[in-house]
Amino acid sequence: MSLDINKVVIKTSLTSCFGSHFKEVEGANAFIDELAEDAEEVSFAQGEYVFREKDAPEYVYIPESGSLMLERSTASGSRQVFAFLFTGNLAGLSENVSYSFSAKALTNCVVIRISRKLMQDIFDKYPAVAKRYHDVTGHILSLILDQLFIMGQKSAHQRLAHFLLDMEHRLGRGTHRFLLPMSRQDIADYLGMSLETASRGFSKLKKDGLISIESNYQITVTDSEKLISYAD
């Protein structure tokens, strides 16, 4: 079991996760060397689970390619989607004895799987690496708080506008055009609305000239300023 740390996709994932200047952090090279020795690449097909709710949190995952969805289901069959994860994002963060959510592959994907024990051993030896990691997790927490604010203070269509602006930033690669890897139902469950409300929201934003929809998945933001104003 080893990781080819020189592969471009792996370098890109780690840089996206820990920052472009991570190698300057004391202990970073040792961390990368140990990843090369003990971490591994794992592939998942679309619809497969990387881990499930109630699994023991033995690993941390960094997507290399493809996309993941974090979700939790209830006994009655309803579902809440917590996040959509792409290259360089962290999955599997948990301080509990088991996961309280599941991670599902939205597309065929490859992830870097790192044992939590390896992470902790490195953190114990290199506090600067631990600090960088906790900076990353702190940023994740701030994003969660931002999402909670949006969910509580914005209308359904404003929440959808925020979501599309976020996807433009994360998936557009510097352009206004992007491909959504998730379904309309996934988006509705993420934004806390019905499928019908989400569909009406897309139609309204298209009618108002803020977005164009080439398919259910291909979106172009046609007026960023107006979409930002609408979201606020």
Side-chain angles (χ1 to χ4, degrees), residues 6-88:
N6 292 312
K7 285 177 65 175
V8 172
V9 288
I10 293 178
K11 286 183 176 180
T12 299
S13 299
L14 295 176
T15 298
S16 296
C17 183
F18 293 103
S20 57
H21 300 292
F22 177 58
K23 280 199 170 185
E24 299 172 10
V25 174
E26 183 182 1
N29 289 329
F31 173 66
I32 291 172
D33 288 343
E34 295 206 31
L35 284 187
E37 183 69 25
D38 295 320
E40 60 183 330
E41 290 179 283
V42 185
S43 298
F44 295 91
Q46 180 180 17
E48 281 192 303
Y49 282 89
V50 177
F51 58 82
R52 289 181 180 271
E53 187 177 349
K54 298 184 179 179
D55 285 351
E58 297 177 351
Y59 298 96
V60 172
Y61 304 86
I62 303 175
E64 217 181 89
S65 63
S67 52
L68 304 178
M69 176 173 64
L70 304 185
E71 63 178 13
R72 181 193 289 176
S73 298
T74 67
S76 64
S78 62
R79 180 184 69 158
Q80 177 66 53
V81 173
F82 295 123
F84 300 108
L85 305 181
F86 310 113
T87 298

